[in-house]
Amino acid sequence: MNMTIANFSPPPSAALLLWAHGRSATETLFGTLEKDAHVHPCYGVKEAFKGKRESRTLSYASLMHCARTACREDTKCAVGTHLKPSHLRGNSSELQTTPEFVAAADQAGWRLMVVVYRRNSLARFVSSWELSHYRHTTNLKRRHSTQHSFTGMIRTFEEQDRSLLVGIEAALATPGWRVLALDFLDVTQKLCRSSGAVRQELRELGHTWLHPYVPGEEENCRTHVGHTKTSHSEEPLAKRLGSERAANMIRAQLNGTVYEWMLDLKREVPPPEYVEQMPYMRLVTRATRAGQISGGGEYCGWCKKHVVQ
């Protein structure tokens, strides 16, 4: 697209950014928001800027074009997109750093960042790897990938957490933005409550036609459940990876560390000592003491909202 800032006027209402890594029930939350909060995705796709051949270039122009056109003639509509931190590293992104992206999104009319954080990073990693490798490659390719896919696991987890933090910090530093932090369990076990919290944020940002969030009515929403379609959570680690050797490599790295609890792939609630050491949770707790979201954050005490004045 050959578009400049001069081509556009400000968008009519605040847009929503879902800021989360993959395999964090984002399809479930976004699909529910499409039904429950009338969120229209950019270019008709939840991840319009994921860097694949069929995706759009991530730029100020494409963000503004989406903000101005996604709702078309629908006056009861909110614009939204899901961006993973990794999308900023894609070949089709003109916005190479997170602060640069947030600044462009701010100019284009984005005002709400919804973060979904899955605390069991290993479960998320295994689910992602299983989806993209194990189920779609030959045994030979799986054996070859084992040599390099499962080293430096702790470093990978910490880098992924930092990439989320950079986005949150950029949003918190941008006047007028709101950040809503949700846990994976909030989405998977209290979906309507999570959707209601997002809906209320959008309502306070100008989408006054949205039904207000009322505690006690949170089970009455139209849902979309997508996070279980490709999940094999009942299978053990070695089977999901297709290799006992790969499972042993991971166990050797995590055993005896603060990440050891993640080896139980079904577990999503960490021990207290893990919570106290994780920078993500420390930041969200410290930065969001403005007030508890009504009915939200049942599974994590730090799921609060912060409004930048």
Side-chain angles (χ1 to χ4, degrees):
M1 294 182 185
N2 183 21
M3 302 179 185
T4 64
I5 293 178
N7 293 122
F8 302 105
S9 58
S13 54
L16 175 152
L17 170 66
L18 179 57
W19 179 247
H21 293 301
R23 315 310 290 169
S24 300
T26 55
E27 181 181 343
T28 292
L29 179 60
F30 200 95
T32 298
L33 291 173
E34 287 186 74
K35 296 179 177 181
D36 189 46
H38 303 279
V39 171
H40 288 207
C42 289
Y43 305 102
V45 183
K46 178 173 79 79
E47 297 177 36
F49 308 107
K50 61 183 178 180
K52 303 295 184 180
R53 181 179 302 175
E54 69 276 11
S55 66
R56 302 281 178 156
T57 297
L58 180 59
S59 64
Y60 168 78
S62 60
L63 287 168
M64 178 60 88
H65 186 265
C66 165
R68 297 295 298 173
T69 63
C71 289
R72 300 186 184 277
E73 302 301 321
D74 188 353
T75 58
K76 294 184 177 181
C77 158
V79 176
T81 194
H82 172 206
L83 196 77
K84 302 173 184 177
S86 60
H87 292 166
L88 293 172
R89 301 191 297 270
N91 293 330
S92 64
S93 177
E94 294 180 6
L95 307 171
Q96 294 294 308
T97 69
T98 304
E100 185 181 13
F101 160 70
V102 172
D106 179 61
Q107 293 182 58
W110 264 254
R111 293 294 183 272
L112 175 60
M113 174 182 282
V114 177
V115 185
V116 180
Y117 182 62
R118 188 172 185 176
R119 290 173 285 178
N120 192 328
S121 299
L122 178 61
R124 181 172 50 76
F125 177 89
V126 170
S127 181
S128 179
W129 189 91
E130 178 185 42
L131 180 66
S132 59
H133 291 80
Y134 176 49
R135 301 288 172 176
H136 305 291
T137 59
T138 65
N139 288 331
L140 179 62
K141 289 182 179 179
R142 290 202 300 273
R143 288 195 298 270
H144 177 71
S145 66
T146 299
Q147 301 296 323
H148 61 271
S149 295
F150 306 110
T151 58
M153 296 298 296
I154 291 177
R155 182 177 66 252
T156 296
F157 297 161
E158 292 176 346
E159 289 175 350
Q160 290 175 341
D161 273 11
R162 279 196 296 272
S163 67
L164 278 183
L165 284 174
V166 171
I168 295 171
E169 289 170 339
L172 292 175
T174 306
W177 275 57
R178 295 191 179 202
V179 176
L180 173 61
L182 295 173
D183 186 74
F184 175 75
L185 288 179
D186 290 321
V187 178
T188 59
Q189 298 190 19
K190 291 293 181 180
L191 179 55
C192 285
R193 179 177 293 180
S194 298
S195 179
V198 177
R199 194 176 67 241
Q200 183 63 28
E201 294 289 338
L202 287 171
R203 179 178 168 83
E204 293 176 8
L205 285 167
H207 297 278
T208 55
W209 47 269
L210 281 169
H211 179 68
Y213 172 66
V214 179
E217 296 182 2
E218 61 264 8
E219 301 306 323
N220 300 318
C221 77
R222 294 177 294 168
T223 63
H224 169 83
V225 179
H227 65 277
T228 61
K229 291 192 299 185
T230 55
S231 174
H232 307 90
S233 58
E234 299 302 315
E235 297 179 359
L237 178 62
K239 187 172 182 180
R240 293 184 69 181
L241 298 176
S243 166
E244 186 65 43
R245 179 187 178 191
N248 287 335
M249 291 174 65
I250 292 176
R251 292 187 190 107
Q253 294 174 72
L254 302 192
N255 279 331
T257 74
V258 72
Y259 298 91
E260 184 174 3
W261 68 274
M262 294 181 182
L263 290 168
D264 180 357
L265 297 179
K266 298 178 183 178
R267 182 175 178 178
E268 294 291 345
V269 179
E273 60 269 21
Y274 174 84
V275 175
E276 294 167 0
Q277 294 184 43
M278 291 301 101
Y280 174 90
M281 287 177 245
R282 288 204 306 268
L283 171 73
V284 173
T285 301
R286 184 178 66 250
T288 60
R289 298 189 186 278
Q292 185 78 31
I293 294 173
S294 180
E298 179 175 340
Y299 297 97
C300 51
W302 42 264
C303 286
K304 300 177 181 180
K305 70 178 179 181
H306 181 79
V307 182
V308 182
Q309 301 298 332

